[in-house]
Amino acid sequence: MVEGFRFLPEYFPPPAQKALVAEVLGLLDENPLYRATMPRTGKPMSVRMTNLGPLGWISDISGYRYGPAHPETGKPWAPIPQTLLDLWRAVSDYPAPPQACLVNWYEDTSRLGLHIDADESAKDAPVVSVSLGSRALFRRGGLERSSPTSSMRLASGDVVVLGGQSRRAYHGVDRIYPGSSTLVPGGGRINLTLRRVTRP
Ligand code: MD6
Ligand code: FE
């Protein structure tokens, strides 16, 4: 498998998971989830999203980019919670803080197609992901879309670090296991990904 992939199962114990979900939920009033669309086709994504931090990842008909404001409210994104800044310091070995925390909200039927995270200039920084709520079937691939893949389950509190070579590897979410957690209201899954966008 690709070098640089780290899996930290239940990095966050249940009380910390609860606190993190509460903190993220508390930021959604000012920073609402919205349904982004795919470039070119304009088809809606099955995952709803928002961002935290000075920059946020945005997808719309014209393409993918990072921007300082919510596309629907026009307001700056809310700050990244301290717990997540601490996580980044603990696991990333990167000399600068993350600038974006993408919040992906999965319903029971949501999926995320095989992709690489390639819209950041700081290619030397890892992407750090936190899973909360229902379990997901995560697919890991290689450096080409056609590379062999393997699947693993991500449960609430798990952290994944895509560093080194794995930073450029394909990955996606094939399915959510409905009812596998009650942590997230409505039974869904929240995935938080921390990214450094620009070179420090
Ligand atoms: C998810 N994760 O777990 C989707 N990207 O819902 C990602 O797309 C991801 O887990 C970059 C680094 C780690 C990830
Ligand atoms: Fe990704």
Coordinates of all heavy atoms in Angstrom, one line a residue, residues 39-111:
P39 N -18.5 20.4 -10.7 CA -18.1 21.2 -11.8 C -18.7 20.6 -13.1 O -18.9 19.4 -13.2 CB -16.6 21.0 -11.8 CG -16.2 20.6 -10.4 CD -17.4 19.8 -9.9
R40 N -18.9 21.5 -14.1 CA -19.3 21.1 -15.4 C -20.8 20.7 -15.5 O -21.6 21.3 -16.1 CB -18.4 20.1 -16.2 CG -17.0 20.6 -16.4 CD -16.3 19.7 -17.4 NE -16.5 18.3 -17.2 CZ -15.9 17.6 -16.3 NH1 -15.0 18.1 -15.5 NH2 -16.2 16.3 -16.2
T41 N -21.1 19.5 -14.8 CA -22.4 19.0 -14.9 C -23.4 19.8 -14.0 O -24.6 19.8 -14.3 CB -22.5 17.5 -14.4 OG1 -22.1 17.5 -13.0 CG2 -21.5 16.7 -15.2
G42 N -23.0 20.4 -12.9 CA -23.9 21.1 -12.0 C -24.7 20.1 -11.2 O -25.7 20.6 -10.5
K43 N -24.4 18.8 -11.2 CA -25.1 17.9 -10.4 C -24.9 18.0 -8.9 O -23.7 18.3 -8.5 CB -24.8 16.4 -10.8 CG -25.6 15.9 -12.0 CD -25.2 14.6 -12.5 CE -25.2 13.4 -11.4 NZ -24.9 12.1 -12.0
P44 N -25.9 17.9 -8.1 CA -25.7 18.1 -6.6 C -24.9 16.9 -6.1 O -25.1 15.8 -6.5 CB -27.1 18.1 -6.1 CG -28.0 17.5 -7.1 CD -27.3 17.7 -8.4
M45 N -24.0 17.2 -5.1 CA -23.3 16.2 -4.4 C -24.2 15.5 -3.4 O -25.1 16.2 -2.9 CB -22.1 16.8 -3.7 CG -21.1 17.3 -4.7 SD -19.5 17.7 -3.8 CE -18.5 18.1 -5.2
S46 N -24.0 14.3 -3.0 CA -24.9 13.6 -2.1 C -24.5 14.0 -0.7 O -25.3 13.8 0.3 CB -24.9 12.1 -2.3 OG -23.7 11.5 -1.8
V47 N -23.3 14.6 -0.5 CA -22.8 15.0 0.8 C -23.1 16.5 0.9 O -22.9 17.2 0.0 CB -21.3 14.7 0.9 CG1 -20.7 15.4 2.1 CG2 -21.0 13.2 0.9
R48 N -23.7 16.9 2.1 CA -23.8 18.4 2.3 C -22.5 18.8 3.0 O -21.8 18.1 3.7 CB -25.0 18.7 3.2 CG -26.3 18.6 2.4 CD -27.5 19.1 3.2 NE -27.6 18.2 4.4 CZ -28.3 18.5 5.5 NH1 -28.8 19.7 5.6 NH2 -28.4 17.7 6.5
M49 N -22.1 20.1 2.8 CA -20.9 20.5 3.4 C -20.9 22.0 3.8 O -21.7 22.7 3.5 CB -19.7 20.3 2.4 CG -19.9 21.0 1.0 SD -18.5 20.7 -0.1 CE -18.7 18.9 -0.3
T50 N -19.9 22.3 4.7 CA -19.5 23.6 5.0 C -18.0 23.6 5.4 O -17.4 22.6 5.3 CB -20.4 24.2 6.1 OG1 -20.2 25.6 6.2 CG2 -20.2 23.5 7.5
N51 N -17.5 24.7 5.8 CA -16.1 24.8 6.1 C -15.9 25.6 7.4 O -16.7 26.4 7.8 CB -15.3 25.5 5.0 CG -15.1 24.7 3.8 OD1 -14.2 23.8 3.6 ND2 -16.1 24.8 2.8
L52 N -14.7 25.4 8.0 CA -14.3 26.2 9.1 C -12.9 26.6 8.8 O -12.1 25.9 8.1 CB -14.3 25.4 10.4 CG -15.6 24.7 10.8 CD1 -15.5 23.7 11.9 CD2 -16.7 25.7 11.1
G53 N -12.5 27.8 9.3 CA -11.1 28.3 9.1 C -11.1 29.5 8.1 O -12.1 29.8 7.5
P54 N -9.9 30.0 7.9 CA -9.8 31.2 7.0 C -10.1 30.9 5.6 O -10.5 31.8 4.8 CB -8.3 31.6 7.2 CG -7.6 30.6 8.0 CD -8.7 29.8 8.7
L55 N -9.9 29.6 5.2 CA -10.3 29.3 3.8 C -11.2 28.1 3.8 O -11.1 27.2 4.7 CB -9.0 28.9 3.0 CG -8.0 30.0 2.7 CD1 -6.8 29.5 2.1 CD2 -8.7 31.1 1.8
G56 N -12.0 28.0 2.8 CA -13.0 26.8 2.7 C -12.9 26.3 1.3 O -12.7 27.0 0.3
W57 N -13.1 25.0 1.2 CA -13.1 24.3 -0.1 C -14.5 24.4 -0.7 O -15.5 24.1 -0.1 CB -12.7 22.8 0.0 CG -12.6 22.1 -1.3 CD1 -11.5 22.1 -2.1 CD2 -13.6 21.2 -1.9 NE1 -11.7 21.3 -3.2 CE2 -13.0 20.8 -3.1 CE3 -14.9 20.9 -1.5 CZ2 -13.7 19.9 -3.9 CZ3 -15.5 20.0 -2.4 CH2 -14.9 19.5 -3.6
I58 N -14.6 24.9 -1.9 CA -15.9 25.2 -2.6 C -15.9 24.4 -3.9 O -14.9 24.4 -4.7 CB -16.0 26.7 -2.8 CG1 -16.0 27.5 -1.5 CG2 -17.3 27.0 -3.6 CD1 -15.7 28.9 -1.7
S59 N -17.0 23.8 -4.2 CA -17.2 23.2 -5.5 C -18.5 23.8 -6.1 O -19.5 23.8 -5.5 CB -17.4 21.7 -5.4 OG -17.7 21.1 -6.6
D60 N -18.4 24.3 -7.4 CA -19.6 24.7 -8.1 C -19.4 24.4 -9.6 O -18.4 23.8 -10.0 CB -20.0 26.1 -7.7 CG -19.0 27.1 -8.2 OD1 -18.1 26.8 -9.0 OD2 -19.0 28.3 -7.7
I61 N -20.3 24.9 -10.4 CA -20.3 24.6 -11.8 C -19.0 25.0 -12.5 O -18.5 24.3 -13.4 CB -21.5 25.2 -12.5 CG1 -21.7 24.7 -13.9 CG2 -21.5 26.7 -12.5 CD1 -23.0 23.9 -14.1
S62 N -18.3 26.0 -11.9 CA -17.1 26.5 -12.6 C -15.8 25.8 -12.1 O -14.8 25.9 -12.7 CB -16.9 28.0 -12.4 OG -16.7 28.3 -11.0
G63 N -15.9 24.9 -11.1 CA -14.8 24.2 -10.7 C -14.6 24.1 -9.2 O -15.5 24.5 -8.4
Y64 N -13.4 23.6 -8.7 CA -13.1 23.5 -7.3 C -12.1 24.7 -7.0 O -11.3 25.0 -7.8 CB -12.3 22.2 -7.0 CG -13.0 21.0 -7.4 CD1 -12.3 20.0 -8.1 CD2 -14.3 20.7 -7.1 CE1 -12.9 18.8 -8.4 CE2 -14.9 19.5 -7.4 CZ -14.2 18.5 -8.1 OH -14.8 17.3 -8.4
R65 N -12.3 25.2 -5.8 CA -11.3 26.3 -5.3 C -11.5 26.5 -3.8 O -12.4 25.9 -3.2 CB -11.6 27.6 -6.1 CG -13.0 28.2 -5.7 CD -13.3 29.4 -6.5 NE -14.7 29.8 -6.3 CZ -15.7 29.3 -6.8 NH1 -15.6 28.3 -7.6 NH2 -16.9 29.7 -6.5
Y66 N -10.5 27.2 -3.3 CA -10.6 27.6 -1.9 C -11.0 29.1 -1.9 O -10.6 29.9 -2.7 CB -9.3 27.4 -1.2 CG -9.1 26.0 -0.8 CD1 -8.5 25.1 -1.6 CD2 -9.6 25.6 0.5 CE1 -8.3 23.8 -1.2 CE2 -9.5 24.2 0.8 CZ -8.8 23.3 0.0 OH -8.7 22.0 0.4
G67 N -11.9 29.5 -0.9 CA -12.3 30.9 -0.8 C -12.6 31.2 0.7 O -12.8 30.3 1.5
P68 N -12.5 32.5 1.0 CA -12.6 33.0 2.4 C -14.1 33.1 2.9 O -14.2 33.3 4.1 CB -12.0 34.4 2.3 CG -12.3 34.9 0.9 CD -12.3 33.6 0.0
A69 N -15.1 32.9 2.1 CA -16.4 33.1 2.5 C -17.4 32.0 2.1 O -17.2 31.4 1.1 CB -16.9 34.5 2.0
H70 N -18.4 31.9 2.9 CA -19.5 30.9 2.6 C -20.2 31.3 1.3 O -20.6 32.5 1.2 CB -20.5 30.9 3.8 CG -21.4 29.7 3.7 ND1 -22.4 29.6 2.8 CD2 -21.5 28.6 4.6 CE1 -23.1 28.4 3.0 NE2 -22.6 27.9 4.1
P71 N -20.4 30.4 0.3 CA -21.0 30.8 -1.0 C -22.4 31.2 -0.9 O -22.9 32.0 -1.7 CB -20.8 29.6 -1.8 CG -20.6 28.4 -0.9 CD -19.9 29.0 0.3
E72 N -23.1 30.8 0.2 CA -24.5 31.2 0.3 C -24.8 32.4 1.2 O -25.6 33.2 0.9 CB -25.4 30.0 0.8 CG -25.5 29.0 -0.4 CD -26.4 27.8 -0.1 OE1 -26.9 27.6 1.1 OE2 -26.6 27.0 -1.0
T73 N -24.0 32.5 2.3 CA -24.2 33.6 3.2 C -23.3 34.8 2.9 O -23.6 35.9 3.3 CB -23.9 33.2 4.7 OG1 -22.5 33.0 4.8 CG2 -24.7 32.0 5.1
G74 N -22.2 34.5 2.2 CA -21.2 35.6 1.9 C -20.4 35.9 3.1 O -19.5 36.8 3.0
K75 N -20.6 35.3 4.2 CA -19.8 35.6 5.5 C -18.6 34.7 5.6 O -18.5 33.6 5.0 CB -20.7 35.3 6.7 CG -21.8 36.3 6.9 CD -22.3 36.2 8.3 CE -23.8 36.4 8.4 NZ -24.4 35.8 9.5
P76 N -17.5 35.2 6.3 CA -16.4 34.4 6.5 C -16.7 33.1 7.2 O -17.7 33.1 8.0 CB -15.5 35.3 7.4 CG -16.0 36.6 7.3 CD -17.5 36.5 6.9
W77 N -16.0 32.0 7.0 CA -16.2 30.8 7.7 C -15.9 31.0 9.1 O -15.0 31.8 9.5 CB -15.3 29.7 7.1 CG -15.3 29.5 5.6 CD1 -14.3 30.0 4.7 CD2 -16.3 28.9 4.8 NE1 -14.7 29.7 3.4 CE2 -15.8 29.0 3.5 CE3 -17.5 28.2 5.1 CZ2 -16.6 28.4 2.4 CZ3 -18.2 27.7 4.0 CH2 -17.7 27.8 2.7
A78 N -16.5 30.2 10.0 CA -16.2 30.2 11.5 C -14.8 29.6 11.7 O -14.3 28.9 10.8 CB -17.3 29.4 12.2
P79 N -14.2 30.0 12.8 CA -12.8 29.4 13.1 C -12.8 27.9 13.3 O -13.8 27.3 13.7 CB -12.4 30.2 14.3 CG -13.5 31.1 14.7 CD -14.7 30.9 13.9
I80 N -11.6 27.4 13.1 CA -11.4 25.9 13.4 C -11.3 25.7 14.9 O -10.6 26.4 15.6 CB -10.1 25.5 12.7 CG1 -10.2 25.7 11.2 CG2 -9.8 24.0 13.0 CD1 -8.9 25.3 10.4
P81 N -12.1 24.8 15.4 CA -12.1 24.5 16.9 C -10.7 24.1 17.4 O -9.9 23.5 16.7 CB -13.0 23.3 17.1 CG -14.0 23.4 15.9 CD -13.2 24.0 14.8
Q82 N -10.3 24.6 18.6 CA -9.0 24.4 19.2 C -8.7 22.9 19.2 O -7.5 22.5 19.0 CB -9.0 25.0 20.6 CG -7.6 24.9 21.2 CD -6.5 25.7 20.4 OE1 -6.8 26.8 19.9 NE2 -5.3 25.2 20.2
T83 N -9.6 22.0 19.5 CA -9.4 20.6 19.5 C -8.8 20.1 18.2 O -7.9 19.2 18.2 CB -10.7 19.8 19.7 OG1 -11.4 20.4 20.8 CG2 -10.5 18.4 20.0
L84 N -9.2 20.7 17.1 CA -8.7 20.2 15.8 C -7.4 20.8 15.5 O -6.5 20.2 14.9 CB -9.7 20.6 14.7 CG -11.1 19.9 14.9 CD1 -12.1 20.4 13.9 CD2 -11.0 18.4 14.7
L85 N -7.1 22.0 16.0 CA -5.8 22.6 15.8 C -4.8 21.8 16.6 O -3.7 21.6 16.2 CB -5.8 24.1 16.3 CG -6.7 25.0 15.5 CD1 -6.7 26.4 16.1 CD2 -6.3 25.1 14.0
D86 N -5.2 21.3 17.8 CA -4.3 20.5 18.6 C -4.1 19.2 18.0 O -2.9 18.7 18.0 CB -5.0 20.2 20.0 CG -5.1 21.5 20.9 OD1 -4.4 22.5 20.5 OD2 -5.8 21.5 21.9
L87 N -5.1 18.6 17.3 CA -4.9 17.3 16.6 C -3.9 17.5 15.5 O -3.0 16.7 15.4 CB -6.3 16.9 16.0 CG -6.2 15.8 15.0 CD1 -5.8 14.4 15.6 CD2 -7.5 15.6 14.2
W88 N -4.0 18.6 14.8 CA -3.1 18.8 13.7 C -1.6 18.9 14.2 O -0.7 18.3 13.6 CB -3.5 20.2 13.0 CG -2.5 20.6 11.9 CD1 -1.4 21.4 12.0 CD2 -2.6 20.3 10.5 NE1 -0.8 21.6 10.8 CE2 -1.5 21.0 9.8 CE3 -3.5 19.5 9.7 CZ2 -1.3 20.9 8.5 CZ3 -3.3 19.4 8.3 CH2 -2.2 20.1 7.7
R89 N -1.4 19.6 15.3 CA -0.1 19.8 15.9 C 0.4 18.4 16.3 O 1.6 18.1 16.2 CB -0.1 20.7 17.1 CG -0.2 22.1 16.7 CD 0.3 23.1 17.8 NE 1.7 23.0 17.9 CZ 2.5 23.9 18.5 NH1 1.9 25.0 18.9 NH2 3.7 23.7 18.6
A90 N -0.5 17.6 16.8 CA 0.0 16.3 17.4 C 0.3 15.3 16.3 O 1.2 14.4 16.4 CB -1.1 15.7 18.2
V91 N -0.4 15.3 15.1 CA -0.2 14.3 14.1 C 0.4 14.7 12.8 O 0.8 13.8 12.0 CB -1.5 13.5 13.8 CG1 -2.1 12.9 15.1 CG2 -2.5 14.4 13.1
S92 N 0.6 16.0 12.6 CA 0.9 16.4 11.2 C 2.4 16.7 11.0 O 2.9 16.6 9.9 CB 0.2 17.6 10.8 OG 0.8 18.8 11.3
D93 N 3.2 17.0 12.0 CA 4.6 17.4 11.9 C 4.8 18.6 10.9 O 5.9 18.7 10.3 CB 5.5 16.3 11.6 CG 5.5 15.7 10.2 OD1 4.9 16.4 9.3 OD2 6.0 14.6 10.0
Y94 N 3.8 19.4 10.6 CA 3.9 20.5 9.6 C 4.1 21.8 10.4 O 3.5 22.0 11.4 CB 2.6 20.5 8.8 CG 2.8 21.3 7.5 CD1 3.5 20.8 6.5 CD2 2.3 22.6 7.4 CE1 3.7 21.5 5.3 CE2 2.5 23.3 6.2 CZ 3.2 22.7 5.2 OH 3.4 23.4 4.0
P95 N 5.0 22.6 9.9 CA 5.3 23.8 10.7 C 4.3 25.0 10.7 O 4.6 26.0 11.2 CB 6.7 24.3 10.0 CG 6.6 23.8 8.6 CD 5.8 22.5 8.7
A96 N 3.2 24.8 10.1 CA 2.2 25.8 10.0 C 0.8 25.2 10.3 O 0.6 24.0 10.0 CB 2.2 26.5 8.7
P97 N -0.1 26.0 10.8 CA -1.5 25.5 11.1 C -2.3 25.2 9.9 O -2.0 25.7 8.8 CB -2.1 26.6 11.9 CG -1.4 27.8 11.5 CD 0.0 27.4 11.1
P98 N -3.3 24.4 10.0 CA -4.3 24.2 8.9 C -5.0 25.4 8.6 O -5.3 26.2 9.5 CB -5.2 23.1 9.4 CG -5.2 23.2 10.9 CD -3.8 23.7 11.2
Q99 N -5.4 25.6 7.4 CA -6.2 26.8 7.0 C -7.7 26.5 6.7 O -8.5 27.4 6.6 CB -5.6 27.5 5.8 CG -4.2 28.1 6.0 CD -3.5 28.4 4.7 OE1 -3.2 27.5 3.9 NE2 -3.1 29.6 4.6
A100 N -7.9 25.2 6.4 CA -9.3 24.8 6.1 C -9.7 23.6 6.8 O -8.9 22.6 6.9 CB -9.4 24.6 4.6
C101 N -10.9 23.6 7.3 CA -11.5 22.3 7.8 C -12.8 22.1 7.0 O -13.8 22.8 7.3 CB -11.8 22.4 9.3 SG -12.6 21.0 9.9
L102 N -12.8 21.2 6.1 CA -14.0 20.8 5.4 C -14.9 19.9 6.2 O -14.4 18.9 6.8 CB -13.6 20.1 4.1 CG -14.7 19.6 3.2 CD1 -15.6 20.7 2.7 CD2 -14.1 18.9 2.0
V103 N -16.1 20.3 6.4 CA -17.1 19.6 7.1 C -18.0 18.9 6.1 O -18.7 19.5 5.4 CB -18.0 20.5 8.0 CG1 -19.0 19.7 8.8 CG2 -17.1 21.3 8.9
N104 N -17.9 17.5 6.0 CA -18.7 16.8 5.1 C -19.8 16.0 6.0 O -19.4 15.3 6.9 CB -17.9 15.7 4.3 CG -17.2 16.3 3.1 OD1 -17.7 17.3 2.6 ND2 -16.1 15.7 2.7
W105 N -21.0 16.2 5.6 CA -22.1 15.7 6.4 C -22.8 14.6 5.5 O -23.4 14.9 4.5 CB -23.1 16.8 6.7 CG -24.2 16.3 7.7 CD1 -25.3 15.5 7.4 CD2 -24.4 16.7 9.0 NE1 -26.1 15.4 8.5 CE2 -25.5 16.1 9.5 CE3 -23.7 17.6 9.9 CZ2 -26.0 16.3 10.8 CZ3 -24.1 17.7 11.2 CH2 -25.3 17.1 11.6
Y106 N -22.7 13.3 6.0 CA -23.3 12.2 5.2 C -24.6 11.8 5.8 O -24.8 11.6 7.0 CB -22.4 11.0 5.3 CG -21.0 11.2 4.6 CD1 -20.0 11.9 5.3 CD2 -20.7 10.6 3.4 CE1 -18.8 12.0 4.7 CE2 -19.5 10.7 2.8 CZ -18.5 11.4 3.5 OH -17.3 11.6 2.9
E107 N -25.6 11.6 4.9 CA -26.9 11.0 5.3 C -26.6 9.5 5.1 O -25.6 9.1 4.5 CB -28.0 11.4 4.4 CG -28.1 12.9 4.0 CD -28.8 13.7 5.1 OE1 -29.5 13.2 5.8 OE2 -28.5 14.9 5.1
D108 N -27.6 8.7 5.4 CA -27.5 7.2 5.3 C -27.1 6.8 3.9 O -26.5 5.7 3.7 CB -28.7 6.5 5.7 CG -28.9 6.5 7.2 OD1 -27.9 6.9 8.0 OD2 -30.0 6.1 7.7
T109 N -27.6 7.5 2.9 CA -27.4 7.1 1.5 C -26.3 7.9 0.8 O -26.0 7.7 -0.4 CB -28.7 7.3 0.7 OG1 -29.1 8.7 0.8 CG2 -29.8 6.4 1.2
S110 N -25.6 8.7 1.5 CA -24.5 9.6 0.9 C -23.3 8.7 0.5 O -23.0 7.7 1.2 CB -24.1 10.7 1.8 OG -25.1 11.5 2.1
R111 N -22.6 9.1 -0.5 CA -21.3 8.5 -0.9 C -20.4 9.6 -1.3 O -20.8 10.7 -1.6 CB -21.6 7.6 -2.1 CG -22.7 6.6 -2.0 CD -23.0 5.9 -3.4 NE -21.9 5.1 -3.9 CZ -21.0 5.5 -4.8 NH1 -21.2 6.7 -5.4 NH2 -20.1 4.7 -5.2

